[in-house]
């Protein structure tokens, strides 16, 4: 029975994909855009070449949807066409192309992206450029990401840019995160911790360990019940994104004393 149900689902999906592929050639631009978007969300890599053709569509929404879909599909063959969209008349399409190039991660996009940043005059595009360059994780992009970091005003965005920079220059990134973590806005504090985890290297890990080391002094003013709650909250922030941290946090939430929590923390790190 289960085998039959699985076959039926596969057949339905195949029929849906076939219909969506047909809609890529629809005369209605909204249907072309929706078909590209859906195929990208479904991960239908076989449709990527046909979606790529829509990067030259006359409609802004279609070009945007096609770029986004190709990014989700990590279709490397589309890099050259996506690079052309960095000069698209529509900022929306430019942003979609930048995001897609970052998701695809092809190193040949590095130099064109750096050059595009140098001539960019739209402050709304600096952040997407920085994220894309961070995903490429090439040393050559470090100074450009730092330049973007200094140009961006939003501290949450700065944290995310620091995460990308951290894959290239961990020492520099953790200095930036240290300053951001002092922000009174809890969103910024959380994002700085997330960024260190996203760096996925020793510099980010060591910085998180230092934050963990401060928990003892943070909970000292409280009674044990309140201290446990405070420690849980901060440990959850500090470890989110680290390998095995989900199981670690689950264990942490079962403990009823700060002493037990700190013992588990020391074992984990």
């Amino acid at each position: 029975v289960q085998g039959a149900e699985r076959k039926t689902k596969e057949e339905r999906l195949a029929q849906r994909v076939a219909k969506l592929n047909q809609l890529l050639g629809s005369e209605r631009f909204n249907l072309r855009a929706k078909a590209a978007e859906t195929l990208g969300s479904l991960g239908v890599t076989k449709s990527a070449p046909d979606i790529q053709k829509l990067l030259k569509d006359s409609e802004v929404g279609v070009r945007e949807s096609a770029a986004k879909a190709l990014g989700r599909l990590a279709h490397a063959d589309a890099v050259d066409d996506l690079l052309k969209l960095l000069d698209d008349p529509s900022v929306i399409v430019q942003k979609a192309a930048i995001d897609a190039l970052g998701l695809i991660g092809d190193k040949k996009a590095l130099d064109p992206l750096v050059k595009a940043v140098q001539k960019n005059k739209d402050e709304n595009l600096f952040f997407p450029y920085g994220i894309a360059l961070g995903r490429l994780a090439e040393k050559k992009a470090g100074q450009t990401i730092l330049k973007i970091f200094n140009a961006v005003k939003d501290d949450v965005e700065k944290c995310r840019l620091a995460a990308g920079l951290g894959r290239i220059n961990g020492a520099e990134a953790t200095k930036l995160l240290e300053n951001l973590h002092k922000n009174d806005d809890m969103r910024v504090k959380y994002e700085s911790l997330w960024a260190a985890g996203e760096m996925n290297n020793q510099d980010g890990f060591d910085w998180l360990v230092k934050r963990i080391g401060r928990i003892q002094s943070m909970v000292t003013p409280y009674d044990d019940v309140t201290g446990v709650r405070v420690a849980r909250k901060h440990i959850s922030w500090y470890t989110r994104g680290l390998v095995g941290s989900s199981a670690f946090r689950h264990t942490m939430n079962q403990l009823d004393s700060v002493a037990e929590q700190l013992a588990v923390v020391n074992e984990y790190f």
Side-chain angles (χ1 to χ4, degrees):
V1 176
Q2 290 181 346
E5 290 180 351
R6 187 181 302 111
K7 184 176 181 180
T8 300
K9 288 182 179 179
E10 291 175 351
E11 289 174 347
R12 288 176 180 172
L13 178 60
Q15 290 173 358
R16 185 184 181 193
V17 169
K19 179 62 176 178
L20 289 167
N21 282 328
Q22 290 179 350
L23 290 176
L24 290 175
S26 172
E27 293 183 357
R28 296 173 59 182
F29 76 88
N30 60 320
L31 293 181
R32 297 197 300 276
K34 189 63 179 178
E37 178 186 341
T38 305
L39 287 166
S41 297
L42 292 173
V44 185
T45 55
K46 290 183 178 180
S47 300
D50 290 326
I51 296 174
Q52 184 176 342
K53 296 175 183 177
L54 296 181
L55 293 177
K56 300 177 181 179
D57 198 277
S58 61
E59 292 289 340
V60 169
V62 177
R63 298 198 301 278
E64 178 193 13
S65 294
K68 288 181 176 179
L70 292 167
R72 294 191 187 101
L73 296 173
H75 188 55
D77 289 345
V79 168
D80 288 336
D81 285 339
L82 287 167
L83 287 172
K84 294 176 183 176
L85 292 185
L86 298 182
D87 293 319
D88 194 273
S90 168
V91 174
I92 295 174
V93 175
Q94 290 179 44
K95 182 182 181 302
I98 294 166
D99 291 342
L101 289 166
L103 290 171
I104 292 171
D106 193 311
K107 307 301 182 186
K108 73 177 182 179
L110 176 60
D111 287 339
L113 283 171
V114 170
K115 291 178 181 177
V117 171
Q118 293 172 349
K119 68 178 184 179
N120 175 58
K121 296 181 180 179
D122 190 329
E123 62 179 21
N124 294 316
L125 290 178
F126 278 124
F127 178 67
Y129 273 122
I131 294 299
L133 289 169
R135 285 175 173 151
L136 293 180
E138 287 289 310
K139 186 176 181 179
K140 191 175 181 179
Q143 287 301 313
T144 302
I145 297 175
L146 188 57
K147 175 184 176 182
I148 293 172
F149 178 94
N150 291 327
V152 167
K153 298 177 182 178
D154 184 89
D155 283 341
V156 170
E157 291 186 348
K158 283 180 177 290
C159 289
R160 296 176 183 176
L161 290 167
L165 178 62
R167 302 183 191 109
I168 300 166
N169 186 337
E172 181 67 29
T174 51
K175 290 179 183 177
L176 299 175
L177 290 176
E178 183 66 31
N179 288 327
L180 288 164
H181 191 66
K182 296 174 183 176
N183 197 301
D184 291 332
D185 188 334
M186 295 308 297
R187 293 179 309 133
V188 179
K189 286 184 180 294
Y190 171 77
E191 287 292 338
S192 68
L193 298 167
W194 169 88
E198 282 291 299
M199 285 166 58
N200 197 29
N201 57 30
Q202 194 63 42
D203 288 304
F205 182 78
D206 289 345
W207 187 78
L208 282 172
V209 170
K210 290 180 181 178
R211 306 286 79 66
I212 291 289
R214 295 176 183 175
I215 289 178
Q216 179 69 68
S217 61
M218 291 169 57
V219 301
T220 298
Y222 303 104
D223 59 78
D224 207 37
V225 173
T226 305
V228 166
R229 293 173 180 170
V230 172
R232 281 177 184 168
K233 179 178 70 173
H234 285 275
I235 289 169
S236 176
W237 288 342
Y238 296 169
T239 60
R240 194 172 301 277
L242 296 180
V243 176
S245 63
S246 179
F248 167 74
R249 288 193 298 275
H250 176 74
T251 300
M252 188 63 56
N253 290 335
Q254 312 307 310
L255 303 177
D256 296 321
S257 75
V258 174
E260 289 177 309
Q261 289 176 325
L262 292 174
V264 173
V265 166
N266 290 331
E267 182 179 349
Y268 177 74
F269 283 94

